[in-house]
């Protein structure tokens, strides 16, 4: 004896039904479209949300996305500002040597000579495109943040954190020449 599913009219399983046995339950998937010549009402299918996308700005929390966004900074000179709350604690310019993920033994550090970024050191990455089409990256961990900007050399930008040639201002000094005794001048 075989059972038929009263709703679909199909056999839900191919196991004979006997008294005293429990047959495995297998639900026949609902077909979309026409059934028995009548349109069916479609059930909403659970689906995974589509991947997020960003255009010129956004906040990224995925480690893979953070790594992909930071990758163009590799082997580049950047400026950095370390903020605690709204206060600038430190700033400088450095060379990005490494960008890592899934390496908990590698620290993130910023020095004027070398920078290593471990994506796992930060909760999220906020990025914005500047008018000159370069990105500003803000790496956030709690109330601390590091703002990293690509630092092209010699573009004449107005950033107070841009590296500059050290100059000596002589406008407040007077230069005097002292002439010593010249033997030829003293004979006259």
């Amino acid at each position: 004896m075989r059972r038929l599913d009263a709703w679909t009219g199909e056999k839900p399983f191919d196991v004979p039904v006997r008294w005293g046995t429990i047959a495995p339950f297998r639900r026949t998937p609902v077909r979309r479209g026409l059934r028995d010549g009548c349109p069916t009402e479609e059930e909403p299918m659970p689906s995974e949300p589509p991947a997020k996308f960003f255009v010129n700005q956004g906040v990224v929390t995925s480690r893979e996305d953070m790594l992909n966004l930071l990758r163009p900074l590799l082997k580049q000179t950047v400026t950095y500002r370390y903020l605690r709350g709204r206060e600038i604690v430190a700033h400088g310019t450095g060379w990005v040597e490494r960008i890592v993920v899934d390496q908990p033994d590698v620290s993130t550090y910023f020095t004027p000579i070398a920078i290593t970024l471990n994506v796992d050191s930060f909760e999220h990455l906020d990025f914005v495109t500047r008018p000159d089409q370069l990105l500003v990256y803000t790496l956030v961990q709690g109330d601390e943040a590091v703002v990293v900007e690509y630092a092209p050399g010699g573009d004449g930008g107005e950033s107070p954190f841009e590296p500059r040639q050290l100059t000596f201002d002589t406008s407040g000094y007077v230069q005097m020449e002292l002439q010593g005794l010249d033997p030829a001048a003293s004979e006259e």
Side-chain angles (χ1 to χ4, degrees):
M1 174 174 174
R2 305 242 183 229
R3 289 187 129 171
L4 295 178
D5 188 349
W7 199 69
T8 63
E10 296 177 343
K11 296 177 190 175
F13 43 85
D14 292 322
V15 176
V17 177
R18 296 188 201 133
W19 293 101
T21 62
I22 299 175
F25 178 75
R26 186 184 84 202
R27 182 178 175 148
T28 306
V30 176
R31 294 187 181 130
R32 306 248 175 214
L34 296 176
R35 182 174 350 127
D36 301 329
C38 299
T40 60
E41 185 177 321
E42 292 191 27
E43 294 179 11
M45 288 290 292
S47 64
E48 294 183 24
K52 295 179 184 180
F53 72 95
F54 303 93
V55 179
N56 292 337
Q57 64 182 7
V59 176
V60 176
T61 57
S62 161
R63 291 178 8 215
E64 188 69 27
D65 288 342
M66 290 170 63
L67 179 64
N68 289 334
L69 278 167
L70 293 170
R71 190 171 286 136
L73 293 177
L74 192 59
K75 306 299 181 196
Q76 300 294 323
T77 301
V78 297
T79 61
Y80 60 89
R81 290 173 294 194
Y82 172 54
L83 304 161
R84 191 172 294 137
R86 293 183 175 219
E87 179 185 343
I88 296 177
V89 176
H91 64 86
T93 302
W95 175 263
V96 180
E97 285 191 348
R98 292 178 67 191
I99 300 173
V100 298
V101 68
D102 292 329
Q103 295 183 17
D105 56 328
V106 176
S107 299
T108 292
Y109 57 86
F110 293 85
T111 68
I113 298 173
I115 295 172
T116 294
L117 294 169
N118 189 337
V119 171
D120 296 326
S121 297
F122 304 100
E123 293 173 356
H124 68 271
L125 167 67
D126 183 9
F127 69 98
V128 177
T129 304
R130 301 187 319 203
D132 61 358
Q133 299 301 305
L134 297 175
L135 292 177
V136 177
Y137 305 90
T138 304
L139 297 156
V140 179
Q141 177 62 38
D143 70 336
E144 299 176 321
V146 179
V147 180
V148 179
E149 297 182 53
Y150 176 69
D155 70 344
E158 296 297 323
S159 171
F161 303 106
E162 181 179 348
R164 291 179 173 67
Q165 180 65 37
L166 181 62
T167 59
F168 184 67
D169 182 19
T170 60
S171 63
Y173 298 94
V174 176
Q175 182 176 351
M176 297 176 55
E177 288 185 32
L178 296 175
Q179 295 186 356
L181 296 175
D182 186 15
S186 61
E187 290 179 9
E188 295 178 5

